[in-house]
Amino acid sequence: MIQLVASTRSREYPVFLSEGLLDETGRLWCSLGNRDKVVVIADDNVAALHLARLAESLAAAGVKVNAVKVRPGEKTKSLENAALLYTRLFDLKTRRQDAVCALGGGVVGDLAGFVASTYMRGVKLIQIPTSLLSQVDSSIGGKVGVNIPEAKNYVGAFYQPHMVVTDPDLLTTLPRRELVEGLAEVVKYCLLTGDDFFSNFEASYEEFLSLNMAYVEPVVRRCIEYKLRIVSEDERDFGRRAVLNLGHTVGHGIEAAGAYKAYSHGRAVALGLLAAVRLSTKVFGLPDRYSERLQSLLLSLGLPVRLEEVRPRDVLAAMASDKKSDDLSANMVLLKTLGEPVTNCDVDASLVKDQVERLAEGD
Ligand SMILES: NC(=O)c1ccc[n+]([C@@H]2O[C@H](COP(=O)([O-])OP(=O)(O)OC[C@H]3O[C@@H](n4cnc5c(N)ncnc54)[C@H](O)[C@@H]3O)[C@@H](O)[C@H]2O)c1
Ligand SMILES: [Zn+2]
């Protein structure tokens, strides 16, 4: 078993990573000195597949377990559902020393984490991420929250979990399209980490797609390690943490231009990464071959390399309104080279426009 340590100003906590760890959750939680009740929150899909094993593991370690199910999907991440969960926790006589356990993807992780951060001003929190996106991204770093009708992720908190249990085996039940969603973030980490990770992943992505655990586990580990390092430097997102937004400025513009229907987050980020890498060539002279290699990697993974569902000008308008200004340049993350991201790049707006238009041309 791999044990990584997340070290932030507000909390230090272990991230356990290994195949089959779901069955060890009870033992691991007790080994950290916990005995009190755990309330598991899961969506119906994940509950049907994995809740029984988790409950068994906790019960076998002598931990009392309750479970609350929510409906799958982004709409579940709402204040209304948070309120319903507060009532359920109250009815279950949940006390301050008890824990909430988020078993699921980013939706459940963010919602359950938010509830844990606010119920009785904070109860313990266990994250058991079950989607690739949540394993490499949302379960670590402590951002929890819900959407409001006006905007995504606008209400929330920084609340680090007390333990994260990452079991890559759980990915075997994940629908393929959700796996591909998470791969966009994995590619982002490859670019952020450096040429050797990028080249390794390029050489072994087929093993990843077929979920050969000998390849999946080390890749997930590298992504987690990178995020842990960044978060330990800048827990509250005032500076360095912005590197994690590589590909997300254009990506968010694409998602918003398609009203969050035409493009999922991962697919929009894939296009955003391509735009960011091409811009990096223009601004920092990043060798052209990287955008070509990125393009063919994205294609092999089943991610888009051409903007087809929305118009470039709508993307640019969404980007401008996202920033509440016409200045498209600030806050972009670019790469000096692989492994050397630069935040707050001051790129000429016309260069950004060119690259968004180029995405639609698909060359
Ligand atoms: N907190 C953060 O730092 C952070 C970072 C990135 C994204 N997010 C948030 O994460 C959310 C997206 O997360 P997501 O992509 O995991 O979506 P999700 O939680 O909706 O999961 C995607 C789908 O996969 C299903 N699923 C999950 N694990 C499964 C498994 N092992 N087997 C079968 N089905 C499974 C779910 O039921 C759901 O239908 C967004 O709300 C986003 O805002 C948060
Ligand atoms: Zn993302």
Side-chain angles (χ1 to χ4, degrees):
M1 180 183 68
I2 297 158
Q3 180 178 347
L4 307 171
V5 178
S7 180
T8 64
R9 285 169 78 143
S10 58
R11 204 180 338 274
E12 193 164 278
Y13 56 94
V15 179
F16 298 107
L17 167 68
S18 275
E19 278 176 75
L21 267 196
L22 185 66
D23 297 315
E24 306 293 322
T25 308
R27 184 180 63 76
L28 293 170
W29 187 234
C30 291
S31 76
L32 299 174
N34 302 291
R35 277 172 286 111
D36 297 288
K37 186 172 69 171
V38 172
V39 181
V40 181
I41 299 177
D43 74 21
D44 295 322
N45 298 338
V46 173
L49 291 161
H50 303 297
L51 177 59
R53 272 173 63 205
L54 172 61
E56 226 167 83
S57 163
L58 289 163
V63 176
K64 189 168 185 296
V65 193
N66 292 119
V68 182
K69 292 187 221 165
V70 295
R71 291 174 70 168
E74 186 68 32
K75 280 206 181 107
T76 290
K77 237 176 78 174
S78 67
L79 281 167
E80 290 74 15
N81 278 316
L84 287 172
L85 288 170
Y86 296 139
T87 303
R88 292 299 301 274
L89 290 177
F90 183 84
D91 291 345
L92 290 167
K93 301 192 168 43
T94 308
R95 303 154 307 163
R96 288 216 52 203
Q97 63 270 33
D98 295 333
V100 162
C101 173
L103 174 70
V107 164
V108 162
D110 283 9
L111 172 69
F114 179 67
V115 166
S117 75
T118 41
Y119 186 74
M120 300 187 87
R121 297 193 180 81
V123 294
K124 289 177 188 161
L125 173 63
I126 305 169
Q127 289 278 8
I128 306 186
T130 62
S131 66
L132 179 58
L133 178 134
S134 58
Q135 295 199 347
V136 299
D137 193 353
S138 60
S139 65
I140 41 178
K143 283 191 181 176
V144 296
V146 295
N147 304 323
I148 52 174
E150 295 75 15
K152 287 183 73 175
N153 295 323
Y154 252 56
V155 174
F158 287 96
Y159 193 70
Q160 303 294 340
H162 294 71
M163 169 174 92
V164 182
V165 175
T166 301
D167 179 351
D169 256 353
L170 301 179
L171 302 178
T172 53
T173 60
L174 188 67
R176 174 78 166 213
R177 65 168 194 287
E178 298 297 343
L179 186 75
V180 171
E181 275 296 292
L183 282 169
E185 306 289 349
V186 170
V187 173
K188 177 189 82 176
Y189 285 113
C190 287
L191 296 166
L192 288 171
T193 306
D195 191 293
D196 73 320
F197 188 22
F198 187 76
S199 301
N200 277 342
F201 188 67
E202 233 178 357
S204 62
Y205 75 87
E206 280 172 321
E207 303 292 341
F208 198 105
L209 283 174
S210 56
L211 292 178
N212 178 343
M213 289 300 152
Y215 289 84
V216 173
E217 195 176 286
V219 169
V220 170
R221 176 186 184 157
R222 265 189 105 152
C223 297
I224 294 174
E225 282 174 334
Y226 186 87
K227 181 156 181 183
L228 289 180
R229 195 167 67 246
I230 297 297
V231 171
S232 75
E233 289 168 23
D234 177 25
E235 181 182 7
R236 296 203 157 229
D237 207 355
F238 289 124
R240 185 74 185 143
R241 195 164 171 163
V243 297
L244 299 171
N245 286 336
L246 180 70
H248 282 62
T249 313
V250 172
H252 285 150
I254 292 172
E255 272 186 286
Y260 297 93
K261 291 194 182 76
Y263 282 95
S264 62
H265 180 72
R267 285 163 177 80
V269 165
L271 290 163
L273 289 171
L274 197 52
V277 165
R278 286 173 174 163
L279 273 169
S280 302
T281 299
K282 300 271 178 229
V283 176
F284 290 122
L286 179 77
D288 233 354
R289 64 173 187 279
Y290 284 120
S291 51
E292 284 151 25
R293 285 169 64 184
L294 173 63
Q295 189 167 349
S296 77
L297 178 61
L298 294 173
L299 270 174
S300 314
L301 296 173
L303 285 161
V305 295
R306 183 175 186 171
L307 183 70
E308 289 176 305
E309 314 290 329
V310 295
R311 292 179 304 185
R313 69 175 139 112
D314 294 336
V315 175
L316 294 163
M319 285 169 70
S321 87
D322 194 26
K323 296 178 62 253
K324 297 170 190 66
S325 87
D326 292 335
D327 170 19
L328 292 175
S329 58
N331 292 328
M332 281 203 78
V333 185
L334 298 183
L335 297 165
K336 262 194 178 153
T337 179
L338 260 55
E340 235 188 280
V342 187
T343 56
N344 283 315
C345 287
D346 197 13
V347 195
D348 200 285
S350 69
L351 281 181
V352 179
K353 181 169 173 277
D354 287 350
Q355 289 310 325
V356 173
E357 283 170 353
R358 186 168 168 201
L359 286 176
E361 286 152 19
D363 64 85

